[in-house]
Amino acid sequence: PYGLPTPLDGTASALVRPYLTAHEEKEEAVLRQRRRLTLVLAADFRIDLDRHLIGAEKVAA
């Protein structure tokens, strides 16, 4: 008698804390900038880099 006949789905909610998403976006931008700088410096000094050195994830073949 005191509620909805079906339970609410918490994953369907669009409630997100905007400061968390902004922080995550900033972290991603900093990582991309660091990777880009590493690749440019490696190209300038002709250094061969492995994927683990620049933080790149494995790509599906």
Side-chain angles (χ1 to χ4, degrees):
Y2 292 101
L4 300 175
T6 58
L8 292 175
D9 183 17
T11 59
S13 178
L15 297 176
V16 177
R17 295 179 218 156
Y19 60 89
L20 285 179
T21 56
H23 179 70
E24 290 170 352
E25 289 173 4
K26 184 178 179 183
E27 285 181 354
E28 282 294 321
V30 169
L31 285 175
R32 272 187 266 126
Q33 183 179 9
R34 183 181 291 166
R35 289 181 188 136
R36 190 176 300 125
L37 177 64
T38 302
L39 290 174
V40 168
L41 289 175
D44 285 346
F45 293 108
R46 297 176 190 247
I47 299 171
D48 188 23
L49 296 176
D50 291 331
R51 280 186 284 197
H52 72 277
L53 292 175
I54 59 172
E57 288 89 21
K58 291 184 178 181
V59 179

